[in-house]
Amino acid sequence: MSRTTNSAYNANQDPASPFYIHPNDNTSTQLVSVKFDGTGYANWKRSMLLSLTVKNKLGFVNGTILVPDENDVDFLAWERCNSLVATWLLFNLDDNIARSVLFKKTAKEIWMNLESRFGS
């Protein structure tokens, strides 16, 4: 159900919400031990999926967290979290691969592009 009016509800303040950003979450977080350089995609992917699950952000790459309507009160929170997840993906990629997906609009688009190029 979409909430289109302002209320006391603030999803980004609820630690159980996928829109919550912990104070330690930042754009230059190294989520996995080795940046993906084009080899070992299955291992990198598994490590990223585990890390995103722990941070309650997996839905931004697998598509289970849908983009709210721009008038929905959750839209800005979604946009902020999507951008954070996108920067995590970019930061955990080799520079050449990161540049190749830099202009994808969503974290899911980045993920799907990597999956189509390197997945099996």
Side-chain angles (χ1 to χ4, degrees):
M1 182 169 93
S2 174
R3 293 174 303 277
T4 56
T5 59
N6 289 331
S7 69
Y9 178 85
N10 196 347
N12 63 355
Q13 299 300 312
D14 178 5
S17 169
F19 299 134
Y20 177 75
I21 297 177
H22 189 275
N24 288 335
D25 290 337
N26 63 68
T27 59
S28 59
T29 299
Q30 185 73 36
L31 296 180
V32 296
S33 58
V34 177
K35 291 186 177 195
F36 178 62
D37 64 0
T39 60
Y41 178 72
N43 293 335
W44 178 86
K45 175 183 172 180
R46 175 70 175 145
S47 296
M48 285 299 294
L49 290 173
L50 290 170
S51 294
L52 291 169
T53 299
V54 167
K55 293 186 171 290
N56 200 21
K57 302 292 186 270
L58 183 61
F60 288 93
V61 297
N62 71 11
T64 58
I65 299 174
L66 302 176
V67 182
D69 182 76
E70 288 186 19
N71 297 320
D72 191 295
V73 296
D74 288 337
F75 179 76
L76 292 177
W78 177 90
E79 189 173 48
R80 184 173 169 225
C81 287
N82 176 71
S83 294
L84 178 64
V85 174
T87 62
W88 286 341
L89 291 173
L90 294 170
F91 192 78
N92 286 273
L93 294 170
D94 172 81
D95 288 344
N96 289 327
I97 297 172
R99 279 193 296 275
S100 74
V101 294
L102 180 61
F103 291 98
K104 300 294 181 190
K105 293 185 187 286
T106 67
K108 181 182 177 190
E109 288 178 17
I110 293 171
W111 190 260
M112 297 308 295
N113 182 279
L114 296 172
E115 186 67 18
S116 69
R117 290 166 54 196
F118 301 105
S120 50

